[in-house]
Amino acid sequence: MRKKVVVIGGGTGLSVILRGLKTFPIDITAIVTVADDGGSSGILRKELDIPPPGDVRNVLVALAEVEPLVEELFQHRFASGDGLNGHSLGNLLLAGMTSITGDFQQGIATISRVLNVRGRVLPSANASIILHAEMEDGTHVSGESQIPLAKNKIKRVYLTPSDISPLPETLKALAEADLIVLGPGSLYTSILPNLLVPGIVEAIHASSASKAYICNVMTQMGETDGYSASDHLQALVSHCGPHIVQTVLVNGEPISADVLDRYQLEQAKQVVVDKQRLESMGISVIEDRFVLESGQKLRHDAMKVSEALMDLIVEKVQGI
C-alpha cells in the first residue's frame, strides 16, 4: 500500500519540495495557506470574495504532470492592460472555476484534473481568512502582506474570523497520514496560518504519523530577523503546543559569500543551526546540505530533502 504524505505550507518553498516528493510512489496531499492578501491574489480575493488563489496555483503547477508549455501558460503573468496587468493566468482560471462550481475547493479539484495533478491540493480553509500579528510592543498589524513591512518583532499571529473550519478531507488526510511535513516557507505568513485554522493542530497531534519540520535556510526580514533554527521551532511550539513535530531538517553547510552578500541586501542571514538546543527540546535533527545555489538564489534541494523525508517513513515502518 502506498504511503501517505501530507505537506503543509505555502509560497515557493512548498512548491519546490513537492516537485521532489511527486517523483516517489506515495500519495501526496498538500494543505495550502489562504491568508495571502497581496498582488493578484489580493485583488481577486477582494473583488470576487474568494480565497486567494496564488499559493494554490503554485502548488498545482508543482504537482502537475503536463507539458512545460502548459505549466508556463498557467504561470504566465500579464504585464499590461488596465484590468489584466499583474494577474497570472492561473489565478484567473482558478477564480473562474470557483465561479463556475460555486466552491473554491471544487474549483481546485476541477483544475487539478485538467493539469493531471499528482496528488490532492486542499486549501487550509474553504474561505478567506485574515492574518493578524501581535507585536512584542503590543501593537497589532492586520494583513499577511503588511506583517513583514511593520519590521517589528512578532509575538504571535492569529486569524479572523473565528468561525472558520478546515475541510473534512483535510482532517481525514491528517488522520491517515504516514508522514506530516511542515514547511519550508515563511514561518509566520505561510506555515502558521494553516496551523491556526481550528481543528488542524488537534488533528496533527492525534495523528500517528511521523512529523517533520523543514527549517528555512535564511532569516526573513520583518518575520524571523536573528532567528536560529530552534527559534523557528519555538515559534511553532508556542502557537501549536509541544511535540508538534519530532524531527527538524536543517541545512548545516555554509552558503557561498556571493549568495550571502545578495541576501544581505534583503537583510537576510543564514539561519544558525543550534543543534544542541534543538535536541534539548526533544527533537531529532537531520543536518545535511539541503540547498542548491542557482546564481545568487537559494532553493532547497528538492530531491535530497525528499529522500530524507522518505527515510523517516522507512524508519517508522521499521520501528527505528
Side-chain angles (χ1 to χ4, degrees):
M1 183 180 293
R2 290 159 68 97
K3 297 301 180 182
K4 298 179 179 181
V5 178
V6 177
V7 189
I8 303 173
T12 56
L14 178 63
S15 300
V16 168
I17 299 306
L18 290 172
R19 288 182 184 275
L21 284 174
K22 76 176 182 180
T23 65
F24 291 86
I26 56 175
D27 288 336
I28 301 170
T29 299
I31 299 172
V32 188
T33 179
V34 286
D36 189 11
D37 64 353
S40 169
S41 285
I43 293 170
L44 292 172
R45 167 184 176 146
K46 182 178 180 180
E47 293 187 354
L48 302 179
D49 192 26
I50 63 171
D55 284 294
V56 168
R57 182 196 80 243
N58 285 327
V59 169
L60 286 171
V61 169
L63 289 174
E65 300 283 0
V66 291
E67 293 295 324
L69 186 60
V70 176
E71 180 178 324
E72 185 178 348
L73 180 65
F74 202 72
Q75 292 287 56
H76 175 72
R77 194 173 294 275
F78 295 95
S80 61
D82 291 339
L84 289 176
N85 187 29
H87 284 296
S88 76
L89 182 58
N91 283 359
L92 296 175
L93 289 172
L94 278 166
M97 196 58 72
T98 299
S99 178
I100 290 170
T101 63
D103 180 84
F104 187 53
Q105 171 51 22
Q106 285 301 312
I108 294 170
T110 305
I111 292 287
S112 294
R113 290 194 292 273
V114 172
L115 293 177
N116 193 25
V117 164
R118 170 96 157 70
R120 284 190 305 171
V121 179
L122 301 173
S124 55
N126 207 21
S128 291
I129 57 178
I130 301 173
L131 182 68
H132 310 266
E134 179 185 358
M135 303 300 184
E136 290 284 358
D137 63 4
T139 59
H140 291 252
V141 178
S142 296
E144 180 264 354
S145 62
Q146 298 303 307
I147 291 170
L149 299 179
K151 296 183 180 179
N152 204 338
K153 188 171 178 59
I154 299 170
K155 180 178 180 181
R156 68 180 182 104
V157 288
Y158 58 99
L159 302 177
T160 58
S162 58
D163 59 350
I164 53 175
S165 58
L167 294 165
E169 296 94 325
T170 296
L171 300 180
K172 186 172 187 289
L174 291 169
E176 296 177 350
D178 295 288
L179 174 67
I180 297 171
V181 182
L182 308 183
S186 300
L187 178 61
Y188 288 103
T189 55
S190 287
I191 298 174
L192 278 168
N194 299 289
L195 303 176
L196 293 174
V197 174
I200 287 187
V201 163
E202 291 81 359
I204 293 173
H205 282 300
S207 175
S208 62
S210 294
K211 297 149 194 173
Y213 168 55
I214 305 169
C215 188
N216 289 347
V217 178
M218 305 295 291
T219 61
Q220 188 171 353
M221 181 178 65
E223 283 202 45
T224 56
D225 302 274
Y227 273 36
S228 66
S230 68
D231 291 327
H232 284 76
L233 179 62
Q234 184 57 56
L236 290 173
V237 170
S238 296
H239 286 80
C240 307
H243 314 302
I244 187 66
V245 296
Q246 302 136 347
T247 305
V248 174
L249 278 66
V250 292
N251 175 64
E253 296 295 317
I255 307 300
S256 68
D258 287 347
V259 174
L260 289 178
D261 287 345
R262 152 73 176 79
Y263 276 88
Q264 181 61 43
L265 298 175
E266 300 174 9
Q267 298 181 39
K269 297 181 179 180
Q270 185 171 359
V271 172
V272 173
V273 178
D274 46 351
K275 187 174 180 180
Q276 190 171 4
R277 186 180 173 211
L278 284 168
E279 291 175 340
S280 73
M281 297 168 74
I283 294 296
S284 173
V285 180
I286 300 176
E287 187 175 5
D288 206 334
R289 182 169 187 85
F290 283 126
V291 293
L292 296 172
E293 297 185 14
S294 177
Q296 291 187 316
K297 282 283 189 181
L298 287 175
R299 287 287 181 266
H300 273 92
D301 185 330
M303 290 309 300
K304 202 164 187 179
V305 171
S306 296
E307 288 165 359
L309 293 174
M310 292 302 98
D311 286 344
L312 291 177
I313 294 178
V314 172
E315 290 172 7
K316 183 174 184 293
V317 170
Q318 296 177 346
I320 298 176

